[in-house]
Amino acid sequence: MPERQIRATIDDLNAWSRSGFVGGPQFDATRDTVPAPEDGRPAAFVGPVTLPNSDRRGAFLEAFTVVRQETDHLADLQAAYPHPKAVFQSTRLLSASQGLREGNCVVFFPENIPTAHPCTHQNFAWFFFNRHVGIYAHTLAITAELCGAGTPFAGESRLRSADVDPEDVYQARCIWGYMHDYFHHTGPRPLDQNLALKTKWRPGLLEELKVDMKSAIACHEEQVPYGDIIFEYIMLERLFRYPAQPEPLRNFDAGTGFALGTWLADHGLLTVDEQGRRRLGSKSDIVASVRELVQLIEEIETISEDDTYRSSAEDFLYSTLLLKPETKGHRYGGPRAPLSLWGATVHV
């Protein structure tokens, strides 16, 4: 760890100790000194952090080390999808405390560190993409439980993303990460210019859904390396694994899966056959449908006034994709589509 980062963390710990550990930790100095490591270089973090999709709720003291390793296809991606504002780092997780060893967290952002002042820009974003090998094995198991053997996509004979070499999994996941972040920085309201607003739960859910659907469209229609594999990663992760997370009605990514599933079900592209197997439409039909969804989300983003944009995003979310929460502590009340589409994999 750089000396500046170590000193900032010690100062934050001492300030928290002097307060008698009253209230939550406020590690602003630590947040502002975590590095964005250069390709091939290691980095580390020690401190309080909230880990999305982990098995813990709230911030815990964690420690982990990474080494940055960008995809071999980075130059080709930068040529086809130039991204001058890229601040994310594709990394391999080397060692970790319990919060990262367990659960399915693959991200570490400045906004995951508890602070006194909200995060207004990202100076780093670590993605632990070697974790995707084990995580996607779980996704395939859930998909098989819901859809049976083979592939749920109409017109396909097999899943392209099954039985992929672990190094190819890492390469494909890095490319998905690049595409995802690239599309965060496009459209009427780029993420870097609206970070405080788009880290709010409801606009953020639509943002996340939008950028992954734009990534899926590009992977299907353009010359993206590992495009067929990444398309299946996006769809099966969002549709089937995320809704199976613990406490799905509190989980941001589970909400994106329920929202996408509702949209596809409403368009006849997510169904249940007579044997109880979930079936998806063809990839081309899915792309045509989610392109319409992206257009609707980006139309909302053209609203210039922040409060009106935020309320319009919430109205669209709850009128079209998700139910309003009925229980305190839940972020939404489930999908508008029948919950039976997800079967016994979902526990609400």
Side-chain angles (χ1 to χ4, degrees):
M1 290 173 60
E3 176 65 28
R4 178 168 173 260
Q5 182 186 358
I6 294 170
R7 174 52 52 193
T9 300
I10 291 172
D11 290 345
D12 284 340
L13 280 168
N14 286 336
W16 193 22
S17 175
R18 288 193 298 271
S19 75
F21 301 105
V22 175
Q26 296 180 351
F27 276 56
D28 296 64
T30 297
R31 177 195 63 191
D32 295 338
T33 55
V34 174
E38 296 295 326
D39 199 11
R41 301 297 299 170
F45 175 80
V46 178
V49 62
T50 299
L51 299 175
N53 295 320
S54 70
D55 293 337
R56 298 176 169 188
R57 184 191 300 178
F60 286 79
L61 289 173
E62 303 284 358
F64 39 93
T65 60
V66 301
V67 61
R68 182 174 180 179
Q69 183 181 343
E70 296 297 339
T71 172
D72 297 341
H73 299 273
L74 183 60
D76 292 337
L77 287 171
Q78 289 174 332
Y81 305 96
H83 189 354
K85 295 183 179 180
V87 296
F88 68 96
Q89 298 82 49
S90 297
T91 75
R92 293 183 186 270
L93 186 67
L94 301 178
S95 63
S97 52
Q98 182 179 357
L100 266 177
R101 293 199 310 271
E102 301 174 0
N104 294 320
C105 180
V106 297
V107 301
F108 174 48
F109 300 147
E111 56 265 34
N112 298 141
I113 301 172
T115 56
H117 301 96
C119 181
T120 58
H121 67 282
Q122 287 184 331
N123 56 349
F124 70 90
W126 300 359
F127 288 85
F128 316 121
F129 284 147
N130 59 321
R131 299 208 72 213
H132 192 69
V133 174
I135 288 171
Y136 195 65
H138 181 49
T139 301
L140 290 173
I142 293 173
T143 302
E145 179 181 345
L146 290 172
C147 306
T151 174
F153 295 100
E156 302 275 330
S157 60
R158 63 183 179 87
L159 273 177
R160 310 294 178 87
S161 55
D163 301 318
V164 178
D165 179 83
E167 179 57 28
D168 287 330
V169 172
Y170 183 81
Q171 292 290 327
R173 191 62 186 84
C174 289
I175 293 167
W176 175 12
Y178 183 96
M179 300 295 291
H180 183 101
D181 197 76
Y182 169 80
F183 285 117
H184 267 312
H185 292 79
T186 68
R189 281 182 173 265
L191 178 64
D192 62 311
Q193 300 173 34
N194 297 270
L195 190 62
L197 183 60
K198 285 195 170 183
T199 51
K200 302 298 182 183
W201 193 85
R202 296 169 186 86
L205 190 149
L206 291 181
E207 170 74 7
E208 200 71 4
L209 192 56
K210 179 196 75 173
V211 302
D212 258 353
M213 293 308 98
K214 294 181 82 166
S215 300
I217 293 167
C219 285
H220 184 71
E221 295 186 340
E222 301 170 17
Q223 299 300 312
V224 179
Y226 299 96
D228 285 344
I229 291 172
I230 299 168
F231 183 95
E232 293 179 0
Y233 283 171
I234 294 170
M235 290 298 164
L236 300 183
E237 290 274 286
R238 289 283 168 202
L239 283 173
F240 298 139
R241 182 175 69 80
Y242 284 136
Q245 286 289 131
E247 298 188 282
L249 300 187
R250 294 178 54 87
N251 184 281
F252 175 87
D253 285 313
T256 65
F258 283 138
L260 177 59
T262 295
W263 179 266
L264 294 180
D266 286 348
H267 291 77
L269 298 172
L270 173 58
T271 58
V272 181
D273 68 15
E274 294 179 353
Q275 287 74 44
R277 297 172 300 192
R278 280 71 184 169
R279 288 288 173 260
L280 294 168
S282 71
K283 291 176 180 177
S284 294
D285 287 344
I286 289 172
V287 164
S289 180
V290 298
R291 179 180 283 109
E292 180 186 350
L293 175 60
V294 167
Q295 289 172 345
L296 290 171
I297 294 172
E298 291 195 328
E299 284 176 11
I300 296 170
E301 292 187 344
T302 63
I303 298 171
S304 59
E305 204 279 318
D306 285 353
D307 288 342
T308 305
Y309 157 66
R310 184 175 176 180
S311 63
S312 297
E314 180 173 329
D315 289 345
F316 174 74
L317 189 67
Y318 286 139
S319 66
T320 307
L321 303 174
L322 299 177
L323 299 170
K324 289 187 176 182
E326 296 181 353
T327 302
K328 186 178 181 180
H330 288 175
R331 288 173 161 172
Y332 58 98
R336 284 198 166 273
L339 193 59
S340 58
L341 283 172
W342 288 270
T345 61
V346 175
H347 305 280
V348 297

